[in-house]
Amino acid sequence: GTPRKSPAQARLEIRERIRELCRALETKLRMAVRAGVGSIMPEGSPLGRSYQEAVASLHSAVQSGKDALFAGVSPQPQVEMTLPKMQNLIRDIGLALAVSSPSRLAQARENFTYRLLYTGYGPEITRAHMLSALFVLLDQFEHRTGVGQSAARTLGSELMDRLDFASTLPELVGAFKGCLDILSRYQEKPREASATARLNTILLDITREPQKPWRLSKLSQKAGQSPPTFLKWFKKVSGKSFGSYVRKARLSKAEALLKEGNLTLERVAQECGFASASTFSIIFRKAFGTSPRKYFGRR
């Protein structure tokens, strides 16, 4: 509701309460806790502006390592992110990536993010601006490193998914930072970007069609690597060995088919690439702790 005290008194009281809360949390959690606060809004006022200011202040606190209570609060209306301003901010990020300067990249990212948060946009418009920036940076990355269009597109799909999965402003800020960190790492090691992109394409193929007879020799040839190198990169990118990944993909499809309950065990095994129903049953029991028939019977 509307504060009974003056705005200055209310802000002072809120500041002290939050600082006490931060100190208590730091003692209990044994880690640094940062805080940022937006405007004090009268009763019945829309909270959008206060929320935007709070997120921006919190972001500033995390970046600086100091509390940013009420930082940046201004009675002036927020201004839109114009195209020239957007282009200048993205250009600064691109230049920082080009010279492989972590400090310069951090500052450029901070300027871009801070300006976005203070425009007053919601998550969807903020995401759109971040995706636009990422698209430009990926294009520059492709031409600068020579990784090739296919690798750049695969990498771009992975990075853009990070932004698509973020739903709140803080999540978007974190996702955008993660995207730039990946681009920065691949900027220094473009061969790693190409290898990762090729492996991600292969992983997607296996996930989509696990029933195929995936052969190490053919897949390593497709990746342009020797079998030992392919296995090394496969585990690095997927987190699993080649055999484990294929088996998990086949079991995931088998589980989905069993839930539908329209096929026999023999047909499920065939549709998922297992040699026989008995082989399928052994592998399934080991993974799920029960036989396919019992699993099928519960559906």
Side-chain angles (χ1 to χ4, degrees):
T2 304
R4 296 178 181 177
K5 303 176 182 179
S6 69
Q9 290 175 317
R11 285 176 55 157
L12 181 61
E13 183 176 332
I14 291 174
R15 184 189 65 187
E16 293 307 315
R17 287 186 179 183
I18 290 182
R19 283 179 173 169
E20 289 177 6
L21 177 61
C22 287
R23 285 194 291 267
L25 288 172
E26 286 177 341
T27 300
K28 184 173 183 178
L29 301 176
R30 297 182 180 179
M31 61 184 296
V33 177
R34 301 301 173 196
V37 184
S39 299
I40 299 173
M41 308 300 292
E43 183 178 1
S45 300
L47 296 178
R49 175 185 164 195
S50 180
Y51 171 67
Q52 297 286 343
E53 290 174 348
V55 172
S57 297
L58 181 58
H59 174 67
S60 177
V62 172
Q63 294 297 321
S64 66
K66 300 178 180 179
D67 288 339
L69 302 181
F70 301 104
V73 176
S74 169
Q76 299 299 321
Q78 306 296 342
V79 295
E80 292 188 3
M81 174 80 86
T82 63
L83 181 59
K85 289 180 180 178
M86 168 71 81
Q87 290 173 333
N88 287 336
L89 292 169
I90 296 174
R91 181 199 61 196
D92 290 343
I93 296 177
L95 289 174
L97 286 170
V99 299
S100 300
S101 172
S103 60
R104 187 171 174 180
L105 177 60
Q107 184 61 55
R109 185 193 69 241
E110 169 72 8
N111 291 339
F112 177 81
T113 305
Y114 193 79
R115 182 64 65 87
L116 266 184
L117 293 176
Y118 267 109
T119 56
Y121 295 141
E124 291 307 315
I125 297 180
T126 299
R127 187 200 326 276
H129 279 298
M130 288 181 171
L131 285 170
S132 296
L134 191 57
F135 182 82
V136 173
L137 295 171
L138 282 164
D139 185 61
Q140 294 175 355
F141 172 81
E142 177 188 346
H143 288 86
R144 188 163 54 240
T145 61
V147 297
Q149 189 179 70
S150 177
R153 285 181 176 178
T154 302
L155 175 61
S157 178
E158 175 190 349
L159 298 184
M160 290 180 182
D161 281 346
R162 288 172 171 256
L163 291 178
D164 285 337
F165 289 141
S167 58
T168 66
L169 288 174
E171 288 176 352
L172 282 168
V173 170
F176 189 67
K177 178 182 182 300
C179 290
L180 295 186
D181 288 343
I182 291 175
L183 275 179
S184 178
R185 185 176 76 247
Y186 287 158
Q187 169 70 29
E188 298 177 3
K189 300 178 180 179
R191 290 185 178 180
E192 183 176 335
S194 297
T196 300
R198 290 194 296 269
L199 262 295
N200 279 327
T201 299
I202 291 173
L203 293 177
L204 184 59
D205 289 342
I206 294 174
T207 301
R208 286 175 174 171
E209 299 181 287
Q211 74 281 0
K212 285 189 172 182
W214 299 105
R215 306 299 182 192
L216 174 60
S217 57
K218 291 185 177 180
L219 290 179
S220 61
Q221 185 178 11
K222 182 178 180 180
Q225 300 169 331
S226 66
T229 301
F230 173 81
L231 292 176
K232 174 185 174 182
W233 275 95
F234 192 98
K235 189 167 186 177
K236 181 177 181 179
V237 175
S238 71
K240 294 181 178 296
S241 67
F242 173 63
S244 295
Y245 191 91
V246 173
R247 185 162 54 250
K248 183 178 179 181
R250 289 175 174 173
L251 286 172
S252 294
K253 182 175 181 179
E255 184 183 16
L257 292 177
L258 287 172
K259 286 180 178 179
E260 293 176 5
N262 299 322
L263 302 177
T264 63
L265 294 184
E266 289 74 13
R267 184 62 185 277
V268 170
Q270 181 182 5
E271 291 289 327
C272 298
F274 292 100
S276 64
S278 59
T279 300
F280 167 54
S281 295
I282 293 172
I283 296 175
F284 191 95
R285 178 185 289 276
K286 185 175 181 180
F288 293 95
T290 185
S291 69
R293 291 188 183 279
K294 290 183 178 179
Y295 191 95
F296 178 84
R298 294 203 303 264
R299 300 295 162 182

